[in-house]
Amino acid sequence: MISSADVVVIGAGITGTSAAFQLAQRGLRVALVEKKFIAAGSTGKSSAIIRQHYSNAITARMALYSLRVFQNFADVLGGGDAGFVTTGFAILVAAKDRAGLIENVAMQKRVGVNTRIISSDELRELNPGIAETRDIASAYEPESGYSDPASSATGFADAAKRLGTQVYQETRVIGIEMSGGRVIGVKTTNGMIATGAVVNCANAWAPEIGAMVGVNLPVQAERHQVATFQRPADFRAPHFTAGDFINNIYYRPEGALLTLAGSIDPHHGTPIDPDNYNESADYEFIEDMATRIRNRYPVMERAFSKGGWSGIYGVTPDWHPIIDEIPAGSGFFVAAGFSGHGYKLGPAVGVMIADLVTRASAPTAELDRALFRYARFAENTPVRGKYEYSIVG
């Protein structure tokens, strides 16, 4: 293990690997430390949906920036494959929410997102198997889709290594040394690294790292489930990816045969110990998702359940991340609490972290991190979305 680094990044999910890449691009000596393996935590079990539909301009910009990276992954990183698949993304809301949807889409267009309001007839043309849609409003992003989360994180890690980053897997952080209120080193199970900057990208495990320097991070580890279904033989054409507020689900195709489905109701999450939880999907959850997906696609009555899995969200009180230095001037940086949004925003977050750590005099203009400051919780100024279900907005 190296004895010193300019920056130590903790956690090798999409956030940590993207941050390591961006920091290394700026000429810093980076050590990326992961207690298990790349994408072992939230990233590896993400549904990996790539969409840009948000109700805040900054998160829409972050999603758009990240989409362009996923679309051009090998060119941007100098190699690798994110496994990006373009399916299109539809957002479906009740007719009573049409005005709010139109307002959101107008904002997204202003920041450059390729999106539009579509009619019921166009929705059915895009997906002939969809149920009657006269009573809903919808918008559509033709460029969106999904990616391979483990391949994406690995691609960022490999790109960071090509720029000199040292990656240490199976290496646990056991302490952070401070002097005069500043970071001076990181203790790991494989030795000590002297450094003036630490980036806590541990997401659901971030409070454990924060406690090492006396920082209380309001991030709750939650179990969120995903169900998988094999589509019937007469419904093999891949459908679009969607956030369906009527049935309170998200869904996307997986390859030629499968559909993945999960809940967009935050109350479906269960507080857990992220090191000891049930990683499979409950039968009751799979049955519930089967009913909801059948409501949208009647042909899925004849689908076959293929089980499912559970992943981990690191959830903050307002369902938006913390991206900040805590306290200012300490060299202890946090990018955690992504609440199920982290994968699709990961490439942009790496840039925001690099701007923050290097104290860039001109931070990347479209990626303003002020919304995600730590102090917002004490100030009682949480990030507000326009949707009932924060898991989407």
Side-chain angles (χ1 to χ4, degrees):
M1 172 171 277
I2 58 173
S3 60
S4 67
D6 295 325
V7 188
V8 175
V9 178
I10 303 172
I14 191 68
T15 303
T17 56
S18 174
F21 169 68
Q22 291 291 341
L23 289 162
Q25 270 203 319
R26 300 190 189 195
L28 276 67
R29 294 178 303 122
V30 182
L32 176 60
V33 180
E34 166 56 50
K35 69 177 181 177
K36 289 186 176 180
F37 51 87
I38 293 169
S42 301
T43 295
K45 293 184 176 178
S46 171
S47 294
I49 290 172
I50 308 298
R51 62 169 168 87
Q52 302 149 89
H53 192 95
Y54 280 95
S55 54
N56 288 296
I58 179 58
T59 42
R61 289 191 187 99
M62 292 164 69
L64 175 58
Y65 179 97
S66 298
L67 170 68
R68 297 298 180 233
V69 174
F70 287 122
Q71 287 175 323
N72 303 283
F73 199 77
D75 291 339
V76 174
L77 274 67
D81 183 358
F84 180 71
V85 178
T86 303
T87 63
F89 174 82
I91 189 88
L92 313 176
V93 303
K96 65 181 178 60
D97 296 319
R98 177 181 294 276
L101 182 69
I102 291 171
E103 182 181 350
N104 269 353
V105 167
M107 176 274 292
Q108 292 154 19
K109 285 183 173 182
R110 287 195 297 272
V111 303
V113 175
N114 179 6
T115 185
R116 65 183 188 274
I117 299 293
I118 59 174
S119 68
S120 295
D121 288 341
E122 187 174 3
L123 187 64
R124 285 196 302 277
E125 288 173 8
L126 289 165
N127 255 165
I130 206 165
E132 173 59 43
T133 56
R134 296 291 174 187
D135 59 344
I136 70 174
S138 53
Y140 184 66
E141 303 169 9
E143 294 184 83
S144 295
Y146 67 92
S147 285
D148 182 318
S151 292
S152 302
T154 299
F156 271 114
D158 288 345
K161 284 192 284 189
R162 289 192 293 271
L163 294 170
T165 295
Q166 300 296 311
V167 179
Y168 300 103
Q169 300 181 69
E170 301 293 338
T171 301
R172 182 183 291 269
V173 172
I174 56 176
I176 298 174
E177 290 198 349
M178 306 282 288
S179 178
R182 287 196 55 84
V183 169
I184 61 169
V186 175
K187 296 179 182 178
T188 80
T189 50
N190 285 328
M192 178 80 176
I193 306 174
T195 187
V198 170
V199 187
N200 178 1
C201 298
N203 204 32
W205 293 265
E208 177 184 337
I209 303 299
M212 295 177 183
V213 295
V215 171
N216 179 26
L217 295 174
V219 178
Q220 170 70 59
E222 290 189 1
R223 173 180 177 243
H224 283 260
Q225 303 178 66
V226 179
T228 63
F229 303 96
Q230 181 175 309
R231 298 191 295 277
D234 54 347
F235 188 43
R236 290 291 165 83
H239 52 73
F240 50 48
T241 298
D244 182 342
F245 279 86
I246 290 89
N247 291 295
N248 293 338
I249 58 171
Y250 69 81
Y251 57 84
R252 71 161 175 85
E254 170 67 16
L257 302 178
L258 300 182
T259 291
L260 309 186
S263 175
I264 57 175
D265 183 345
H267 301 299
H268 271 185
T270 306
I272 55 164
D273 172 357
D275 290 312
N276 183 24
Y277 73 101
N278 178 3
E279 298 182 40
S280 63
D282 301 335
Y283 172 80
E284 294 79 9
F285 176 82
I286 294 171
E287 189 174 44
D288 183 26
M289 292 299 103
T291 298
R292 296 180 190 221
I293 196 73
R294 194 165 57 233
N295 289 341
R296 182 54 59 212
Y297 295 98
V299 70
M300 292 293 281
E301 175 74 39
R302 293 180 279 106
F304 293 96
S305 170
K306 304 297 284 188
W309 72 86
S310 293
I312 303 170
Y313 288 2
V315 179
T316 64
D318 63 6
W319 285 76
H320 286 76
I322 300 165
I323 305 174
D324 206 351
E325 183 182 19
I326 311 169
S330 66
F332 183 74
F333 302 90
V334 177
F338 284 89
S339 309
H341 302 265
Y343 177 74
K344 66 184 64 63
L345 302 178
V349 173
V351 176
M352 296 164 80
I353 293 168
D355 283 348
L356 182 61
V357 172
T358 60
R359 308 187 191 282
S361 58
T364 308
E366 70 269 28
L367 302 178
D368 181 5
R369 61 182 179 272
L371 192 69
F372 310 116
R373 68 194 183 283
Y374 176 64
R376 73 184 189 269
F377 300 109
E379 296 165 352
N380 195 28
T381 54
V383 179
R384 299 291 189 190
K386 295 182 179 179
Y387 291 112
E388 178 183 358
Y389 300 113
S390 299
I391 201 168
V392 170

